[in-house]
Amino acid sequence: SQQGEEDPQALSIQEGENATMNCSYKTSINNLQWYRQNSGRGLVHLILIRSNEREKHSGRLRVTLDTSKKSSSLLITASRAADTASYFCATGRDDKIIFGKGTRLHILP
Amino acid sequence: DTAVSQTPKYLVTQMGNDKSIKCEQNLGHDTMYWYKQDSKKFLKIMFSYNNKELIINETVPNRFSPKSPDKAHLNLHINSLELGDSAVYFCASSRKQGTGNTIYFGEGSWLTVV
């Protein structure tokens, strides 16, 4: 069964603005990962956050995890045209990694 | 020096045909996967192999048969193709089995059944 669900389904923002995407899940997890998929390409790993971590940074990316609310957020600061892509959260539990449906992010020039 | 490579990238075929998609990874990973992404971008795991052994089989019709001749290869054979099989199929690998590992994806194989 599907584990993570991203919100919003689609997001359009101006270049330079910050983009925030959320992921909610239903059952307990070991960790949560975020991936990016450019149009017509495979998914690329961005960041992993473990269940005992609350926040993690990588360059312009900031990920938070709230296990009590079963939710995570991905913040991309100072967005660029190259950030246009779909973003997926993937939750890990019992040796399975399950992906959500993704958020389509479009950066407007 | 592609990490996870799959062929063909595009495949158009008629209903009822049998087709295969090949996948190879040169990362030295133990675990390989097949994922299916439908038209709504929903990415669903189909199979997972660890050191050539089937670990995950997610309620996939038995028309789909994965085959792992060695831990660097995981091919997907599909019999009696149906219209609903049209999707993008992604091969992937990770260093080890387990949810704490990064998954490396291939570029996808676009299958269209007509």
Side-chain angles (χ1 to χ4, degrees):
Chain A
S1 62
Q2 186 179 341
Q3 177 73 306
E5 292 222 10
E6 293 88 345
D7 168 60
Q9 289 188 6
L11 178 63
S12 293
I13 61 171
Q14 294 293 138
E15 192 169 10
E17 292 181 342
N18 296 341
T20 300
M21 288 157 273
N22 302 297
C23 171
S24 59
Y25 56 91
K26 295 187 175 72
T27 59
S28 63
I29 59 172
N30 303 121
N31 53 65
L32 186 144
Q33 304 185 44
W34 284 92
Y35 287 77
R36 184 187 72 229
Q37 183 180 31
N38 289 85
S39 180
R41 308 295 297 274
L43 279 75
V44 174
H45 179 258
L46 293 175
I47 198 166
L48 179 150
I49 186 166
R50 302 191 188 282
S51 58
N52 61 354
E53 297 176 307
R54 290 296 166 259
E55 189 170 311
K56 207 161 180 181
H57 296 254
S58 176
R60 293 184 296 114
L61 305 180
R62 174 179 165 245
V63 168
T64 63
L65 179 63
D66 187 335
T67 53
S68 66
K69 294 181 180 177
K70 293 187 171 56
S71 68
S72 172
S73 67
L74 170 67
L75 168 67
I76 304 174
T77 59
S79 62
R80 305 168 182 169
D83 295 329
T84 293
S86 292
Y87 292 82
F88 294 83
C89 70
T91 49
R93 179 170 181 255
D94 297 337
D95 276 354
K96 286 185 184 179
I97 298 176
I98 300 174
F99 288 82
K101 292 184 180 179
T103 291
R104 292 187 307 280
L105 175 65
H106 185 57
I107 307 300
L108 303 167
Chain B
D1 58 345
T2 306
V4 181
S5 58
Q6 52 184 109
T7 55
K9 187 169 177 71
Y10 299 102
L11 184 56
V12 181
T13 187
Q14 290 189 324
M15 274 196 309
N17 283 352
D18 303 338
K19 291 294 177 186
S20 292
I21 307 172
K22 295 186 176 180
C23 178
E24 175 182 5
Q25 54 95 2
N26 63 3
L27 297 166
H29 287 170
D30 286 346
T31 307
M32 294 187 73
Y33 312 84
W34 276 107
Y35 283 86
K36 178 181 179 181
Q37 187 172 44
D38 62 25
S39 58
K40 295 182 179 177
K41 301 296 185 185
F42 180 34
L43 193 69
K44 186 174 180 182
I45 189 167
M46 300 173 68
F47 301 104
S48 166
Y49 271 71
N50 189 60
N51 278 319
K52 294 168 41 179
E53 284 191 38
L54 179 65
I55 302 298
I56 294 173
N57 181 343
E58 284 290 305
T59 321
V60 177
N62 57 16
R63 297 182 296 104
F64 291 78
S65 52
K67 198 161 203 176
S68 183
D70 55 64
K71 73 174 193 177
H73 295 83
L74 181 61
N75 304 321
L76 183 65
H77 188 76
I78 315 170
N79 288 329
S80 303
L81 278 155
E82 300 176 357
L83 293 176
D85 297 332
S86 295
V88 185
Y89 292 85
F90 286 97
C91 179
S93 71
S94 62
R95 190 173 62 87
K96 295 283 181 190
Q97 183 188 346
T99 62
N101 293 280
T102 297
I103 301 179
Y104 294 81
F105 284 82
E107 293 293 280
S109 294
W110 269 251
L111 172 65
T112 302
V113 182
V114 296

